[in-house]
Amino acid sequence: MFARRFFISFPIFALIYLIQESVVSQFRIFGGGFSLFLVFTLLWSALGTPELGALTGFGAGLLMDLSQTTSGPMGQWTLIMILAGFAISYLGYGDDNFRGNPISLVVIVAIAVPITRLAYLVIGLMFGSELGSTLQVSISLLASALWTIAFVPLLMPFVTRIHSTLFEEKSRG
Amino acid sequence: MRNGGDNRGRLLLISLIVTSLLLITLDLRGVQVLDGVRRGTQTVISPFQSVGAKIFRPVGNFFSDVTQLGRTRGEIEKLKTENEELRQNLINRRNADSELAQLKSVLDLAGAARYRVVGAKVISLGSTSSFTQTISIDAGANDGVRENMTVITGLGLVGVVKISYPNSALVQLASDPAFRVGARVAGSQQIGIVSGQGTSKGVLQLLDNQTTLKVGDVILARGSQNNRPFVPGVPIGEVTAVDNAAGAVTQTADVKLFANFATLSVVAVVVGSPKDDPRDALVPKAPIPTPIPTVTVYATPSESPKP
């Protein structure tokens, strides 16, 4: 079942990844902007089971590792995204009040995005990456949270609709 | 069933984590396959990125400009300031070039006559409210400049030092109405007195009524005792008009002074001169006319059409 769901959602992720790499990356906005792909993945994971969240994170992390702009070793984003996908879906799993409330989804994704990026940074430091300016890192993390708060409400209707269309109908069928 | 599902979930999670750690290990050990995958992905994506850049970069730049409006404005202000500084530097450079040319010219003249000179910059012009014509220079007694010393430019006589201060000096220009200098005509050696008229022209009055002047004669300083106030041989000007009034005791002439008093910036004060008079050695050389090529065109009538 996991594999089937994984392969069903893969083209959507590939499309979002393509949009991220070819369109979103063209915009240079305050604080380094935001990652549509990261937000989409975390939102998608939050709507599923923890196992599916981990699997979604695995696939998304692999794609992020393949990005030209990734500086870390192959697999670093994969590891982070497995944990992030699992954690965000685990938090709301079985609590319909949580998942049915858009505000809680916005808040949890807005918190998850900077934490995920911070985890990537910390693990990167372990692998010998350079940290750069602490102030710049702080601004970037804060800005990504703010951009996420701004964009998730716009993105959420599409994500929830696609998610329910794909999985609820399939499970019924 | 639930326990079995949980175990399967845990197993999946552990497998995924182990896979990612394996990927990291392989990558850190430099396995080329993973690099190939990354390169292959980039090859696939780059055409889309090119299209995206063409379409969305202007929009992205717009957003970038909006978010960095303050910085952009600051940058414009900075560039404006730099531009102003560069423009000022250019003006200073042109000024320096002009001064350098004048200094070279005056040194050429001084070198030809073997004068010992002290170079000086004009630091102020005389008062416009009075009728005297003077300049102040930035060389004074500390530089060896004394009263009644000749001041020259590359073109010729400028004037004479009237007052010498420790670090500056006041120079009476040759155009001053009170200025008088003993002169002689180059070649014929007729002597006379040139007096300033308040303009770029002076008046030469010959002392001998047996001699005659002609337009184009070059007038030189005759020199004074002990070379003060005037050293001999300094070009003063050129005769532009001769007054042949009947009944005049001596002949007079208008003299166009060589020095351009309107553009004085660098002058030299002659602080020493050789014992021998340079005579006519400093007479400016007449300009060599540039030959103008002429083309003769012969008109050849064309044959009239035959009926």
Side-chain angles (χ1 to χ4, degrees):
Chain A
M1 187 181 74
F2 292 140
R4 189 170 59 88
R5 287 190 169 188
F6 177 79
F7 287 113
I8 287 170
S9 52
F10 183 78
I12 298 167
F13 277 82
L15 179 67
I16 299 294
Y17 177 75
L18 201 61
I19 292 171
Q20 170 69 40
E21 290 292 310
S22 55
V23 178
V24 180
S25 61
Q26 306 296 333
F27 296 90
R28 301 192 192 288
I29 45 181
F30 169 72
F34 78 112
S35 169
L36 174 71
F37 189 72
L38 180 60
V39 171
F40 181 83
T41 304
L42 292 175
L43 199 56
W44 190 273
S45 300
L47 297 171
T49 62
E51 293 83 7
L52 192 61
L55 200 60
T56 303
F58 176 77
L62 270 179
L63 285 173
M64 289 167 83
D65 274 326
L66 291 173
S67 171
Q68 192 188 22
T69 52
T70 300
S71 57
M74 181 84 180
Q76 187 179 340
W77 265 122
T78 310
L79 178 63
I80 302 294
M81 290 304 289
I82 291 166
L83 298 173
F86 180 82
I88 199 167
S89 55
Y90 185 80
L91 281 173
Y93 186 59
D95 187 349
D96 288 340
N97 288 333
F98 178 83
R99 292 196 174 183
N101 188 352
I103 295 173
S104 51
L105 273 177
V106 170
V107 170
I108 199 160
V109 173
I111 293 170
V113 167
I115 288 177
T116 307
R117 293 186 65 205
L118 186 64
Y120 181 81
L121 189 74
V122 171
I123 292 180
L125 283 174
M126 291 178 191
F127 289 133
S129 301
E130 293 294 327
L131 175 65
S133 160
T134 314
L135 177 68
Q136 191 59 37
V137 169
S138 309
I139 290 172
S140 176
L141 292 175
L142 184 67
S144 64
L146 294 174
W147 284 118
T148 307
I149 289 172
F151 275 92
V152 168
L154 303 174
L155 200 63
M156 197 157 48
F158 299 102
V159 178
T160 50
R161 192 161 297 170
I162 294 167
H163 193 273
S164 61
T165 304
L166 282 177
F167 297 134
E168 286 178 13
E169 282 185 6
K170 292 281 177 190
S171 57
R172 276 179 207 143
Chain B
M1 178 72 186
R2 183 170 174 78
N3 284 339
D6 283 349
N7 287 337
R8 205 170 65 168
R10 282 195 203 104
L11 185 65
L12 176 70
L13 184 63
I14 291 166
S15 318
L16 292 175
I17 289 172
V18 169
T19 309
S20 65
L21 290 173
L22 180 70
L23 283 172
I24 293 170
T25 310
L26 290 174
D27 191 78
L28 290 177
R29 290 179 71 87
V31 176
Q32 296 296 317
V33 178
L34 298 178
D35 283 343
V37 173
R38 195 176 267 177
R39 268 200 295 274
T41 310
Q42 194 50 42
T43 308
V44 172
I45 287 175
S46 57
F48 294 99
Q49 285 177 323
S50 301
V51 173
K54 275 183 189 165
I55 297 170
F56 295 103
R57 184 57 61 83
V59 185
N61 288 344
F62 170 75
F63 280 111
S64 176
D65 287 346
V66 167
T67 53
Q68 297 186 349
L69 200 59
R71 196 183 298 173
T72 308
R73 193 167 292 164
E75 203 156 322
I76 288 169
E77 289 301 319
K78 191 180 157 200
L79 288 172
K80 273 184 181 173
T81 311
E82 279 181 9
N83 193 25
E84 199 57 42
E85 282 175 9
L86 288 172
R87 191 173 293 171
Q88 194 58 45
N89 285 346
L90 186 64
I91 291 168
N92 291 343
R93 173 62 194 269
R94 282 181 183 158
N95 203 25
D97 285 349
S98 163
E99 287 181 357
L100 190 66
Q102 288 195 23
L103 186 61
K104 185 178 179 304
S105 165
V106 74
L107 289 177
D108 285 347
L109 182 78
R114 289 184 292 149
Y115 297 145
R116 279 195 301 114
V117 294
V118 171
K121 285 173 77 172
V122 176
I123 52 176
S124 78
L125 301 175
S127 167
T128 51
S129 57
S130 67
F131 293 98
T132 57
Q133 299 205 354
T134 56
I135 55 170
S136 295
I137 58 174
D138 66 350
N142 292 344
D143 305 294
V145 174
R146 301 281 183 272
E147 288 173 11
N148 291 327
M149 282 184 166
T150 312
V151 182
I152 59 171
T153 67
L155 297 171
L157 183 71
V158 169
V160 64
V161 176
K162 294 306 284 183
I163 306 171
S164 175
Y165 302 104
N167 296 309
S168 64
L170 184 75
V171 176
Q172 182 189 32
L173 297 178
S175 57
D176 187 273
F179 184 85
R180 299 284 183 277
V181 56
R184 64 180 168 82
V185 180
S188 68
Q189 305 301 320
Q190 304 162 72
I191 57 171
I193 296 170
V194 172
S195 53
Q197 300 294 308
T199 64
S200 61
K201 283 189 175 179
V203 170
L204 170 67
Q205 183 169 21
L206 291 180
L207 298 180
D208 186 356
N209 60 358
Q210 299 299 313
T211 55
T212 53
L213 284 169
K214 61 179 186 297
V215 172
D217 280 346
V218 173
I219 311 300
L220 306 170
R222 189 154 42 88
S224 313
Q225 197 172 8
N226 297 325
N227 295 325
R228 288 170 76 173
F230 299 107
V231 288
V234 179
I236 298 173
E238 187 181 44
V239 173
T240 54
V242 180
D243 184 9
N244 289 317
V249 179
T250 56
Q251 204 173 20
T252 58
D254 288 342
V255 176
K256 172 85 174 70
L257 302 173
F258 284 133
N260 186 353
F261 301 102
T263 59
L264 282 178
S265 61
V266 176
V267 295
V269 182
V270 180
V271 294
S273 61
K275 285 180 182 171
D276 51 328
D277 189 337
R279 309 304 300 169
D280 295 351
L282 303 183
V283 173
K285 287 176 183 144
I288 302 164
T290 310
I292 301 167
T294 53
V295 179
T296 310
V297 179
Y298 297 98
T300 310
S302 58
E303 291 178 8
S304 55
K306 291 174 184 173

